């Protein structure tokens, strides 16, 4: 998204760094603000040919985008839960995420974590996974397993029941 909290400017700067060494394409789900700071930054970094915006997409198209991705990058400065990371992990896509908000709780050790707002750390992590397809595949499998273990509706229901039982027990 083209909002400062999502950290897209840092991701764009990271892509510019990575492109100095290798060709790379960035697909951004969403649309930039017309003549906004993101559009200007893409122009200033001279990476327009490497950045593609999807606009609004359906859930099915989200899955297709994840299926085509080599890596998913969540560059947010803060996330309350980290649904984008969880979605990518559920699709088996290796994840690079910042440590903003609840993202480390979602990603855990099943992805690469970097400090929010650090475009060089993002660039290093992106290059590391693009340079090592086997490591990327391992993280993709680990992310999928983590989501299946911790973030399914079944698991949410079990935790809800456990919380109710604890409250009832403490009340008695």
């Amino acid at each position: 998204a083209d909002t400062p909290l999502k950290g897209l400017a840092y991701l764009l700067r990271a892509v510019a760094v990575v492109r100095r060494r290798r060709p790379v394409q960035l697909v951004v789900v969403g649309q930039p603000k017309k003549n906004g700071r993101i559009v200007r930054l893409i122009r200033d970094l001279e990476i327009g040919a490497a950045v593609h915006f999807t606009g609004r997409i359906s859930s099915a198209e989200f899955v297709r985008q994840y299926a085509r991705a080599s890596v998913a990058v969540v560059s947010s400065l803060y996330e309350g839960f980290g649904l984008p990371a969880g979605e990518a992990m559920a699709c088996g896509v290796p994840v690079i995420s910042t440590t903003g908000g609840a993202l480390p709780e979602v990603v855990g050790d099943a992805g690469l974590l970097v400090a929010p707002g650090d475009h060089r750390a993002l660039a290093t992590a992106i290059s590391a996974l693009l340079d090592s397809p086997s490591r990327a595949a391992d993280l993709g499998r680990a992310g999928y397993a983590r989501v299946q273990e911790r973030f399914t509706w079944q698991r949410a229901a079990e935790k809800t029941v456990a919380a109710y039982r604890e409250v009832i027990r403490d009340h008695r």
Side-chain angles (χ1 to χ4, degrees), residues 97-117:
S97 173
T98 69
T99 56
L103 287 164
E105 182 181 342
V106 174
V107 176
D109 61 358
L112 299 183
L113 295 169
V114 301

Side-chain angles (χ1 to χ4, degrees), residues 89 92-94 110 134 136-146:
M89 292 164 66
V93 179
S134 63
D138 289 346
L139 286 176
R141 284 188 293 275
Y144 178 81
R146 183 173 175 83

Side-chain angles (χ1 to χ4, degrees), residues 10-170:
Y10 300 103
L11 178 55
L12 293 170
R13 286 184 178 94
V15 166
V17 170
V18 172
R19 281 185 57 84
R20 291 181 200 142
R21 281 192 13 176
R22 68 174 332 127
V24 65
Q25 295 290 310
L26 174 65
V27 176
V28 180
V29 176
Q31 195 65 36
K33 293 176 183 157
K34 188 172 183 164
N35 299 317
R37 66 183 190 84
I38 293 299
V39 171
R40 288 190 305 274
L41 181 59
I42 291 169
R43 185 185 59 239
D44 292 347
L45 294 171
E46 299 178 352
I47 58 172
V51 180
H52 309 280
F53 290 88
T54 65
R56 290 187 65 92
I57 59 175
S58 66
S59 295
E61 181 58 22
F62 249 117
V63 173
R64 282 190 285 279
Q65 290 295 336
Y66 281 130
R68 293 183 5 214
S70 299
V71 175
V73 181
V74 182
S75 55
S76 299
L77 302 180
Y78 179 85
E79 286 285 342
F81 172 70
L83 191 57
E87 288 172 338
M89 292 164 66
C91 291
V93 179
V95 170
I96 298 166
S97 173
T98 69
T99 56
L103 287 164
E105 182 181 342
V106 174
V107 176
D109 61 358
L112 299 183
L113 295 169
V114 301
D118 187 343
H119 78 277
R120 294 199 184 283
L122 278 175
T124 298
I126 292 166
S127 292
L129 291 188
L130 293 178
D131 289 344
S132 179
S134 63
R135 183 174 183 208
D138 289 346
L139 286 176
R141 284 188 293 275
Y144 178 81
R146 183 173 175 83
V147 167
Q148 295 306 309
E149 176 187 312
R150 297 174 183 237
F151 300 112
T152 63
W153 284 114
Q154 174 72 29
R155 190 71 177 121
E158 290 167 356
K159 286 186 162 201
T160 301
V161 167
Y164 277 112
R165 285 186 176 145
E166 181 178 339
V167 169
I168 290 169
R169 186 185 64 242
D170 290 348

